[in-house]
Short mmCIF file of all heavy atoms in Angstrom, two decimals:
data_model
loop_
_atom_site.label_atom_id
_atom_site.label_comp_id
_atom_site.label_asym_id
_atom_site.label_seq_id
_atom_site.Cartn_x
_atom_site.Cartn_y
_atom_site.Cartn_z
N MET A 47 0.86 -1.19 0.00
CA MET A 47 0.00 0.00 0.00
C MET A 47 0.90 1.25 0.00
O MET A 47 1.70 1.44 0.90
CB MET A 47 -0.89 -0.02 1.24
CG MET A 47 -1.87 1.14 1.28
SD MET A 47 -2.91 1.13 2.74
CE MET A 47 -3.99 -0.22 2.39
N ASN A 48 0.76 2.03 -1.02
CA ASN A 48 1.62 3.21 -1.10
C ASN A 48 1.02 4.41 -0.37
O ASN A 48 -0.07 4.32 0.21
CB ASN A 48 1.94 3.54 -2.56
CG ASN A 48 0.70 3.87 -3.36
OD1 ASN A 48 -0.33 4.19 -2.78
ND2 ASN A 48 0.79 3.80 -4.67
N LEU A 49 1.71 5.52 -0.42
CA LEU A 49 1.32 6.70 0.36
C LEU A 49 -0.03 7.25 -0.09
O LEU A 49 -0.85 7.65 0.75
CB LEU A 49 2.42 7.77 0.21
CG LEU A 49 2.29 8.97 1.13
CD1 LEU A 49 2.38 8.51 2.58
CD2 LEU A 49 3.37 9.98 0.84
N THR A 50 -0.29 7.25 -1.39
CA THR A 50 -1.55 7.80 -1.89
C THR A 50 -2.74 6.98 -1.40
O THR A 50 -3.75 7.54 -0.98
CB THR A 50 -1.54 7.82 -3.43
OG1 THR A 50 -0.39 8.54 -3.87
CG2 THR A 50 -2.77 8.50 -3.96
N GLN A 51 -2.61 5.66 -1.41
CA GLN A 51 -3.69 4.80 -0.93
C GLN A 51 -3.93 5.00 0.57
O GLN A 51 -5.07 5.00 1.02
CB GLN A 51 -3.36 3.33 -1.21
CG GLN A 51 -3.48 2.98 -2.68
CD GLN A 51 -3.04 1.57 -2.97
OE1 GLN A 51 -2.12 1.05 -2.33
NE2 GLN A 51 -3.68 0.93 -3.94
N LYS A 52 -2.85 5.17 1.32
CA LYS A 52 -2.99 5.42 2.76
C LYS A 52 -3.72 6.74 3.01
O LYS A 52 -4.59 6.82 3.87
CB LYS A 52 -1.62 5.45 3.44
CG LYS A 52 -1.02 4.10 3.65
CD LYS A 52 0.29 4.20 4.39
CE LYS A 52 0.96 2.85 4.52
NZ LYS A 52 2.25 2.94 5.18
N ARG A 53 -3.36 7.77 2.25
CA ARG A 53 -4.02 9.07 2.41
C ARG A 53 -5.51 8.99 2.08
O ARG A 53 -6.34 9.55 2.79
CB ARG A 53 -3.37 10.11 1.50
CG ARG A 53 -2.06 10.61 2.02
CD ARG A 53 -1.54 11.72 1.13
NE ARG A 53 -0.30 12.28 1.66
CZ ARG A 53 0.38 13.24 1.07
NH1 ARG A 53 -0.05 13.75 -0.07
NH2 ARG A 53 1.48 13.69 1.61
N ILE A 54 -5.85 8.27 1.01
CA ILE A 54 -7.26 8.12 0.64
C ILE A 54 -8.02 7.36 1.72
O ILE A 54 -9.14 7.73 2.10
CB ILE A 54 -7.38 7.43 -0.73
CG1 ILE A 54 -6.86 8.37 -1.82
CG2 ILE A 54 -8.81 7.03 -1.02
CD1 ILE A 54 -6.74 7.72 -3.19
N LEU A 55 -7.42 6.30 2.25
CA LEU A 55 -8.06 5.51 3.29
C LEU A 55 -8.29 6.34 4.55
O LEU A 55 -9.38 6.33 5.13
CB LEU A 55 -7.20 4.28 3.61
CG LEU A 55 -7.79 3.30 4.61
CD1 LEU A 55 -9.05 2.68 4.04
CD2 LEU A 55 -6.78 2.23 4.95
N ILE A 56 -7.28 7.09 4.97
CA ILE A 56 -7.42 7.95 6.15
C ILE A 56 -8.48 9.02 5.91
O ILE A 56 -9.30 9.30 6.79
CB ILE A 56 -6.06 8.58 6.50
CG1 ILE A 56 -5.12 7.50 7.04
CG2 ILE A 56 -6.21 9.69 7.54
CD1 ILE A 56 -3.68 7.95 7.19
N LEU A 57 -8.50 9.60 4.71
CA LEU A 57 -9.50 10.62 4.38
C LEU A 57 -10.91 10.04 4.45
O LEU A 57 -11.82 10.67 4.99
CB LEU A 57 -9.21 11.17 2.99
CG LEU A 57 -10.01 12.39 2.57
CD1 LEU A 57 -9.71 13.57 3.50
CD2 LEU A 57 -9.69 12.75 1.14
N LEU A 58 -11.11 8.84 3.93
CA LEU A 58 -12.43 8.21 3.99
C LEU A 58 -12.86 7.94 5.43
O LEU A 58 -14.02 8.14 5.78
CB LEU A 58 -12.42 6.89 3.20
CG LEU A 58 -12.38 7.04 1.68
CD1 LEU A 58 -12.24 5.68 1.03
CD2 LEU A 58 -13.63 7.74 1.18
N ILE A 59 -11.93 7.50 6.27
CA ILE A 59 -12.25 7.25 7.68
C ILE A 59 -12.65 8.55 8.37
O ILE A 59 -13.62 8.59 9.13
CB ILE A 59 -11.07 6.56 8.39
CG1 ILE A 59 -10.91 5.14 7.86
CG2 ILE A 59 -11.27 6.54 9.90
CD1 ILE A 59 -9.64 4.45 8.31
N VAL A 60 -11.90 9.61 8.11
CA VAL A 60 -12.21 10.91 8.72
C VAL A 60 -13.56 11.44 8.25
O VAL A 60 -14.36 11.94 9.05
CB VAL A 60 -11.07 11.92 8.42
CG1 VAL A 60 -11.49 13.33 8.78
CG2 VAL A 60 -9.82 11.52 9.15
N ILE A 61 -13.85 11.30 6.96
CA ILE A 61 -15.14 11.75 6.43
C ILE A 61 -16.29 10.96 7.06
O ILE A 61 -17.30 11.53 7.47
CB ILE A 61 -15.16 11.62 4.90
CG1 ILE A 61 -14.25 12.68 4.27
CG2 ILE A 61 -16.57 11.75 4.35
CD1 ILE A 61 -14.04 12.52 2.78
N LEU A 62 -16.12 9.65 7.17
CA LEU A 62 -17.16 8.81 7.77
C LEU A 62 -17.40 9.18 9.22
O LEU A 62 -18.55 9.31 9.66
CB LEU A 62 -16.75 7.33 7.65
CG LEU A 62 -17.84 6.32 7.94
CD1 LEU A 62 -18.95 6.44 6.91
CD2 LEU A 62 -17.26 4.93 7.94
N ALA A 63 -16.32 9.39 9.99
CA ALA A 63 -16.46 9.79 11.38
C ALA A 63 -17.14 11.16 11.49
O ALA A 63 -17.97 11.38 12.36
CB ALA A 63 -15.09 9.81 12.06
N GLY A 64 -16.80 12.06 10.58
CA GLY A 64 -17.41 13.39 10.58
C GLY A 64 -18.90 13.34 10.31
O GLY A 64 -19.68 14.05 10.94
N ILE A 65 -19.30 12.48 9.38
CA ILE A 65 -20.73 12.35 9.08
C ILE A 65 -21.49 11.80 10.29
O ILE A 65 -22.53 12.33 10.68
CB ILE A 65 -20.93 11.44 7.85
CG1 ILE A 65 -20.45 12.16 6.59
CG2 ILE A 65 -22.39 11.03 7.69
CD1 ILE A 65 -20.37 11.26 5.37
N VAL A 66 -20.93 10.77 10.91
CA VAL A 66 -21.59 10.16 12.08
C VAL A 66 -21.69 11.16 13.22
O VAL A 66 -22.76 11.34 13.82
CB VAL A 66 -20.84 8.89 12.52
CG1 VAL A 66 -21.36 8.39 13.86
CG2 VAL A 66 -20.98 7.81 11.46
N LEU A 67 -20.58 11.84 13.54
CA LEU A 67 -20.59 12.80 14.64
C LEU A 67 -21.46 14.01 14.32
O LEU A 67 -22.12 14.56 15.20
CB LEU A 67 -19.16 13.26 14.96
CG LEU A 67 -18.27 12.18 15.59
CD1 LEU A 67 -16.85 12.69 15.75
CD2 LEU A 67 -18.83 11.73 16.93
N GLY A 68 -21.48 14.42 13.07
CA GLY A 68 -22.33 15.54 12.66
C GLY A 68 -23.80 15.23 12.83
O GLY A 68 -24.57 16.04 13.33
N ARG A 69 -24.20 14.03 12.41
CA ARG A 69 -25.60 13.63 12.57
C ARG A 69 -25.97 13.54 14.05
O ARG A 69 -27.06 13.94 14.45
CB ARG A 69 -25.85 12.28 11.89
CG ARG A 69 -25.90 12.39 10.38
CD ARG A 69 -26.16 11.05 9.74
NE ARG A 69 -27.35 10.39 10.25
CZ ARG A 69 -28.57 10.58 9.76
NH1 ARG A 69 -28.75 11.39 8.74
NH2 ARG A 69 -29.61 9.95 10.28
N LEU A 70 -25.05 13.02 14.86
CA LEU A 70 -25.31 12.90 16.29
C LEU A 70 -25.44 14.28 16.93
O LEU A 70 -26.31 14.51 17.78
CB LEU A 70 -24.19 12.10 16.95
CG LEU A 70 -24.46 11.59 18.37
CD1 LEU A 70 -25.64 10.63 18.36
CD2 LEU A 70 -23.24 10.89 18.91
N ALA A 71 -24.60 15.22 16.50
CA ALA A 71 -24.65 16.58 17.05
C ALA A 71 -25.96 17.27 16.67
O ALA A 71 -26.59 17.93 17.50
CB ALA A 71 -23.46 17.39 16.55
N VAL A 72 -26.40 17.10 15.43
CA VAL A 72 -27.67 17.69 14.99
C VAL A 72 -28.83 17.09 15.77
O VAL A 72 -29.72 17.80 16.24
CB VAL A 72 -27.88 17.49 13.47
CG1 VAL A 72 -29.29 17.83 13.06
CG2 VAL A 72 -26.88 18.33 12.70
N ARG A 73 -28.77 15.78 15.97
CA ARG A 73 -29.84 15.11 16.73
C ARG A 73 -29.86 15.59 18.18
O ARG A 73 -30.93 15.83 18.75
CB ARG A 73 -29.60 13.60 16.67
CG ARG A 73 -30.68 12.81 17.34
CD ARG A 73 -30.46 11.34 17.11
NE ARG A 73 -31.34 10.58 17.99
CZ ARG A 73 -31.22 9.28 18.22
NH1 ARG A 73 -30.28 8.61 17.62
NH2 ARG A 73 -32.05 8.67 19.03
N ALA A 74 -28.68 15.76 18.77
CA ALA A 74 -28.61 16.23 20.16
C ALA A 74 -29.14 17.66 20.27
O ALA A 74 -29.87 17.98 21.20
CB ALA A 74 -27.16 16.17 20.65
N LEU A 75 -28.80 18.50 19.31
CA LEU A 75 -29.29 19.89 19.34
C LEU A 75 -30.80 19.95 19.20
O LEU A 75 -31.48 20.66 19.94
CB LEU A 75 -28.61 20.69 18.22
CG LEU A 75 -29.00 22.16 18.14
CD1 LEU A 75 -28.52 22.90 19.38
CD2 LEU A 75 -28.44 22.79 16.88
N MET A 76 -31.35 19.21 18.25
CA MET A 76 -32.80 19.19 18.06
C MET A 76 -33.50 18.63 19.30
O MET A 76 -34.55 19.12 19.71
CB MET A 76 -33.16 18.36 16.83
CG MET A 76 -32.77 19.00 15.52
SD MET A 76 -33.49 20.62 15.27
CE MET A 76 -35.20 20.17 15.08
N ASN A 77 -32.91 17.59 19.88
CA ASN A 77 -33.49 16.99 21.08
C ASN A 77 -33.49 17.98 22.24
O ASN A 77 -34.45 18.08 22.99
CB ASN A 77 -32.67 15.76 21.46
CG ASN A 77 -33.56 14.56 21.66
OD1 ASN A 77 -34.64 14.68 22.19
ND2 ASN A 77 -33.08 13.42 21.21
N PHE A 78 -32.39 18.75 22.36
CA PHE A 78 -32.30 19.76 23.41
C PHE A 78 -33.35 20.85 23.21
O PHE A 78 -34.02 21.27 24.15
CB PHE A 78 -30.89 20.35 23.39
CG PHE A 78 -30.68 21.45 24.40
CD1 PHE A 78 -30.63 21.15 25.75
CD2 PHE A 78 -30.54 22.76 24.00
CE1 PHE A 78 -30.45 22.15 26.69
CE2 PHE A 78 -30.35 23.76 24.92
CZ PHE A 78 -30.31 23.46 26.28
N LEU A 79 -33.52 21.28 21.97
CA LEU A 79 -34.49 22.34 21.68
C LEU A 79 -35.92 21.86 21.89
O LEU A 79 -36.79 22.63 22.29
CB LEU A 79 -34.31 22.83 20.23
CG LEU A 79 -33.03 23.62 19.97
CD1 LEU A 79 -32.92 23.93 18.48
CD2 LEU A 79 -32.99 24.90 20.76
N LEU A 80 -36.17 20.58 21.60
CA LEU A 80 -37.53 20.05 21.71
C LEU A 80 -37.81 19.48 23.11
O LEU A 80 -38.93 19.06 23.38
CB LEU A 80 -37.76 18.97 20.66
CG LEU A 80 -37.72 19.49 19.21
CD1 LEU A 80 -37.78 18.32 18.24
CD2 LEU A 80 -38.84 20.45 18.94
N GLY A 81 -36.80 19.44 23.97
CA GLY A 81 -37.02 19.02 25.34
C GLY A 81 -37.11 17.52 25.54
O GLY A 81 -37.73 17.07 26.51
N GLY A 82 -36.54 16.73 24.65
CA GLY A 82 -36.58 15.28 24.80
C GLY A 82 -35.32 14.74 25.42
O GLY A 82 -34.40 15.49 25.73
N THR A 83 -35.29 13.43 25.61
CA THR A 83 -34.05 12.79 26.04
C THR A 83 -33.34 12.23 24.82
O THR A 83 -33.97 11.88 23.82
CB THR A 83 -34.31 11.67 27.06
OG1 THR A 83 -35.20 10.73 26.47
CG2 THR A 83 -34.93 12.22 28.33
N MET A 84 -32.05 12.11 24.88
CA MET A 84 -31.24 11.80 23.70
C MET A 84 -31.55 10.44 23.10
O MET A 84 -31.70 10.29 21.91
CB MET A 84 -29.77 11.90 24.09
CG MET A 84 -28.83 11.72 22.94
SD MET A 84 -28.95 13.05 21.76
CE MET A 84 -27.70 12.54 20.61
N PHE A 85 -31.64 9.38 23.92
CA PHE A 85 -31.76 8.03 23.38
C PHE A 85 -33.08 7.36 23.76
O PHE A 85 -33.15 6.16 23.88
CB PHE A 85 -30.57 7.19 23.82
CG PHE A 85 -29.27 7.73 23.30
CD1 PHE A 85 -28.38 8.38 24.14
CD2 PHE A 85 -28.95 7.62 21.95
CE1 PHE A 85 -27.19 8.89 23.65
CE2 PHE A 85 -27.78 8.13 21.45
CZ PHE A 85 -26.89 8.77 22.30
N GLY A 86 -34.11 8.17 23.98
CA GLY A 86 -35.44 7.61 24.16
C GLY A 86 -35.79 7.21 25.59
O GLY A 86 -36.96 6.97 25.88
N GLY A 87 -34.83 7.15 26.49
CA GLY A 87 -35.12 6.76 27.86
C GLY A 87 -35.54 7.95 28.71
O GLY A 87 -35.51 9.09 28.26
N SER A 88 -35.89 7.69 29.91
CA SER A 88 -36.25 8.75 30.85
C SER A 88 -35.05 9.05 31.75
O SER A 88 -34.34 8.15 32.17
CB SER A 88 -37.44 8.31 31.71
OG SER A 88 -37.73 9.31 32.65
N LEU A 89 -34.83 10.34 32.01
CA LEU A 89 -33.70 10.71 32.87
C LEU A 89 -34.01 10.51 34.35
O LEU A 89 -33.11 10.40 35.16
CB LEU A 89 -33.32 12.18 32.62
CG LEU A 89 -32.68 12.47 31.26
CD1 LEU A 89 -32.44 13.95 31.12
CD2 LEU A 89 -31.38 11.71 31.10
N LEU A 90 -35.28 10.47 34.68
CA LEU A 90 -35.67 10.34 36.10
C LEU A 90 -36.05 8.92 36.43
O LEU A 90 -36.74 8.26 35.74
CB LEU A 90 -36.84 11.28 36.41
CG LEU A 90 -36.52 12.75 36.25
CD1 LEU A 90 -37.79 13.56 36.45
CD2 LEU A 90 -35.48 13.18 37.24
#
């Protein structure tokens, strides 16, 4: 595996992690604004 393939692989991993974390952040923000709990359970 040469340097270019390693860079592409690392870039894909970073993009995938960014998409997952971005979706989670949007969901957390909307949940906070709407007054719900993050994963469907009750806090109390």
Side-chain angles (χ1 to χ4, degrees):
M47 184 181 287
N48 61 19
L49 190 62
T50 305
Q51 287 175 325
K52 283 184 184 177
R53 283 185 177 178
I54 291 172
L55 185 64
I56 290 170
L57 190 62
L58 287 175
I59 291 170
V60 168
I61 289 172
L62 193 64
I65 290 170
V66 170
L67 291 175
R69 286 181 54 88
L70 194 62
V72 168
R73 184 174 168 193
L75 181 66
M76 290 302 292
N77 231 321
F78 178 70
L79 290 175
L80 294 173
T83 57
M84 185 66 178
F85 298 106
S88 177
L89 291 176
L90 296 174

